[in-house]
């Protein structure tokens, strides 16, 4: 048994995580209602980077069902310690080709597909599996050079090509919002992702009809993202506290 399972996780810390998750779920539901959407329109994905497996276990036991890791190494390291708890793991950070086998072993969805060559390699590997690998196309909607993702102008073509690959199932789109106190500017990026999603889903291209997810919004901007149609917000610090 992995060491992290035999080691007891501080019960007070586990309770605090559960409490913060409930507060976050209520915040998300309230934002959905405020946006005129059903209160369960947006799922919470726990962004677990740098958190020990014990903290992630506490969050899943408190009702979290989706986790997101930024690094394949962390997926691999924590995967065995989470295997007995029902959940889905998504990769929400960049994927290098040499890590594809490990990512396929531990991730249920790769949210960060941003170029065709990576998608083709993933598809080739995933074709041997009984079910296609779920992926999202990551779009750089903020225009910031430091952020990953395909450019908005290239997103439609990439998504149509990804959706046509036999080993993959395109489930939607992901973006990291503009880091800014200007809510209108942040909202504009999220609206751009929604417009891309609507164009792709409505295109009639093979494999695109189910690409409905919008993974956008984090602890600081989830209300803005939900108002713009987020179906999944990725929340770290609001549940786990500041990363150390
Ligand atoms: C860390 C991270 C998040 C969560 O950010 P918080 O501000 O801690 O909620 C969401 N998405 C990605 C891609 C991240 O790296």
């Amino acid at each position: 048994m992995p060491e992290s399972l035999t080691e007891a996780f501080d019960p007070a810390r586990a309770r605090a995580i559960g409490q913060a998750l409930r507060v976050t779920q209520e915040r998300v539901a309230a934002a959905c209602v405020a946006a005129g959407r059903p209160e369960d329109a947006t799922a919470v994905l726990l962004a677990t980077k740098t958190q020990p497996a014990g903290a992630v276990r506490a969050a899943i036991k408190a009702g979290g069902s989706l986790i997101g890791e930024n690094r394949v190494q962390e997926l691999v390291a924590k995967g065995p310690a989470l295997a007995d708890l029902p959940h889905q793991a998504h990769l929400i950070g960049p994927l290098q080709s040499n890590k594809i086998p490990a990512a396929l072993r531990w991730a249920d969805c790769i949210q960060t597909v941003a170029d065709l060559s990576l998608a083709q390699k993933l598809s080739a590997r995933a074709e041997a599996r009984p079910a296609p690998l779920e992926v999202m196309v990551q779009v750089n909607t903020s225009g910031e050079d430091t952020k990953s993702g395909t450019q908005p102008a290239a997103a439609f073509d990439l998504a149509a090509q990804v959706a046509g690959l036999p080993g993959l199932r395109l489930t939607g789109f992901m973006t990291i919002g503009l880091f800014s106190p200007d809510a209108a500017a942040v909202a504009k990026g999220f609206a751009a992702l929604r417009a891309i999603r609507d164009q792709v889903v409505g295109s009639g291209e093979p494999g695109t009809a189910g690409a409905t997810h919008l993974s956008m919004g984090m602890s600081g901007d989830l209300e803005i993202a939900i108002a713009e149609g987020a179906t999944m917000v990725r929340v770290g610090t609001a549940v786990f506290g500041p990363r150390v």
Side-chain angles (χ1 to χ4, degrees):
M1 191 177 270
E3 196 184 342
S4 44
L5 276 185
T6 55
E7 241 175 61
F9 187 69
D10 176 18
R13 173 98 183 94
R15 268 197 306 279
I17 288 170
Q19 181 105 43
L21 175 59
R22 277 187 294 280
V23 169
T24 299
Q25 286 165 335
E26 280 163 21
R27 191 181 151 197
V28 166
C32 287
V33 171
R37 304 174 61 201
E39 67 171 9
D40 61 352
T42 306
V44 174
L45 176 137
L46 298 156
T48 49
K49 60 177 174 271
T50 77
Q51 299 300 333
V56 185
R57 287 184 67 81
I60 296 172
K61 283 183 182 169
S65 59
L66 289 168
I67 70 161
E69 287 287 358
N70 288 68
R71 289 154 45 90
V72 174
Q73 289 97 314
E74 286 195 59
L75 269 177
V76 171
K78 292 173 222 176
L82 305 177
D84 63 317
L85 297 178
H87 72 285
Q88 275 200 10
H90 290 205
L91 183 69
I92 59 172
L95 176 60
Q96 270 103 45
S97 305
N98 62 336
K99 302 266 168 58
I100 287 176
L104 277 167
R105 168 80 180 78
W106 292 107
D108 299 289
C109 175
I110 311 287
Q111 293 199 5
T112 49
V113 171
D115 67 84
L116 186 61
S117 100
L118 176 73
Q120 286 167 331
K121 288 177 191 153
L122 277 170
S123 175
R125 281 271 182 173
E127 263 192 278
R129 301 167 18 134
L133 173 70
E134 294 189 359
V135 298
M136 297 188 195
V137 164
Q138 182 178 3
V139 184
N140 181 351
T141 55
S142 68
E144 294 165 293
D145 291 344
T146 50
K147 294 212 168 128
S148 331
T150 190
Q151 292 305 309
F156 179 90
D157 286 346
L158 177 62
Q161 286 171 309
V162 169
L165 292 171
L168 305 183
R169 187 156 81 81
L170 182 68
T171 59
F173 297 84
M174 181 271 214
T175 197
I176 299 172
L178 178 70
F179 188 68
S180 162
D182 179 353
V186 176
K188 205 171 152 206
F190 293 146
L193 195 71
R194 186 185 63 224
I196 290 165
R197 190 269 319 262
D198 290 347
Q199 190 193 2
V200 170
V201 170
S203 69
E205 297 282 342
T208 57
T212 52
H213 266 297
L214 291 174
S215 170
M216 58 190 196
M218 316 200 288
S219 295
D221 59 10
L222 64 84
E223 280 85 2
I224 302 171
I226 289 170
E228 295 300 335
T231 64
M232 186 183 290
V233 290
R234 307 179 307 269
V235 181
T237 48
V239 171
F240 297 106
R243 283 177 287 275
V244 285

